[in-house]
Amino acid sequence: MATTVLPKVRRLCWLVRGVAIALVGSVLVLYLVTWAFPDLAIWDQHWAKMARIGGFPPTAARDLAGSDRFLFGAVCLPYLASLVWAFRHLGLMLRGFERGEFFERSTVAHLRAFSGFLLLAKALSLLAAHARVAIYAQAAGHPQVVFNISSDELALLLLCALIFLIAHLMEEGNRLAEENRSFL
């Protein structure tokens, strides 16, 4: 059931979509360019020397041999794919909002998919970070096991899980409402 959508809501949807595209685009560019081109002169600038991409300087892959370099970047691909897929569902959900479909089944399904893929992406990024440390340490001749997780990361995982649960409950509520309407 579509309702009249306020121009303010449409503008907000466009703003969120623009920020999401910029965010995902910058994450993809930073990860892929530092993995594929760690020898670029731009990484020798002061600001780049201070930067960290996935916990490592942009030139980290420069020190790795071919197979280690490939593996160092490849462990991030599942995380990046999940992140892109999550934001695809965010875009579809925002389109539903623009049409006034705030609590429709498809819009809630996109919210659930967005939160689920975002939760998966965060979990995969944590695993990838630990795998990258292990690969880098092994290549440097210092094999070690490192486990590092912050309360911020745990809070983000919890928030994603909570949004996923809320979206699931909204889907269940829609299903029950449709079932009740069929009895009347």
Side-chain angles (χ1 to χ4, degrees):
M1 173 164 102
T3 60
T4 304
V5 180
L6 296 173
K8 184 190 243 183
V9 172
R10 286 195 176 141
R11 283 192 303 271
L12 188 57
C13 287
W14 276 92
L15 176 66
V16 170
R17 185 180 292 115
V19 169
I21 290 169
L23 175 77
V24 170
S26 64
V27 167
L28 288 173
V29 166
L30 286 173
Y31 268 93
L32 297 176
V33 170
T34 57
W35 174 36
F37 306 106
D39 299 322
L40 290 177
I42 193 171
W43 305 131
D44 294 326
Q45 303 293 322
H46 175 71
W47 63 268
K49 288 180 182 179
M50 302 304 291
R52 295 291 177 263
I53 312 298
F56 286 91
T59 57
R62 181 188 295 173
D63 304 330
L64 299 174
S67 62
D68 289 334
R69 185 173 174 178
F70 175 78
L71 193 57
F72 186 73
V75 297
C76 293
L77 293 177
Y79 151 65
L80 295 173
S82 296
L83 187 68
V84 167
W85 203 246
F87 278 85
R88 181 188 182 308
H89 283 283
L90 175 66
L92 294 171
M93 181 185 71
L94 291 172
R95 283 196 187 106
F97 288 170
E98 289 171 348
R99 291 188 302 265
E101 301 170 352
F102 300 110
F103 298 104
E104 297 297 319
R105 178 179 284 213
S106 63
T107 308
V108 173
H110 289 304
L111 173 62
R112 191 172 100 156
F114 167 68
S115 59
F117 279 113
L118 196 59
L119 176 62
L120 178 63
K122 184 58 189 168
L124 289 172
S125 77
L126 291 172
L127 291 173
H130 291 89
R132 286 166 57 104
V133 168
I135 293 165
Y136 197 79
Q138 179 71 29
H142 302 94
Q144 58 187 12
V145 175
V146 177
F147 186 75
N148 183 17
I149 189 164
S150 72
S151 60
D152 290 343
E153 292 165 332
L154 290 174
L156 186 58
L157 282 170
L158 180 62
L159 180 63
C160 292
L162 180 62
I163 295 170
F164 182 76
L165 175 65
I166 290 169
H168 180 71
L169 293 173
M170 289 172 69
E171 275 186 326
E172 185 63 18
N174 275 343
R175 187 189 67 76
L176 291 172
E178 288 176 9
E179 189 176 295
N180 285 340
R181 274 183 280 215
S182 70
F183 287 127
L184 299 175

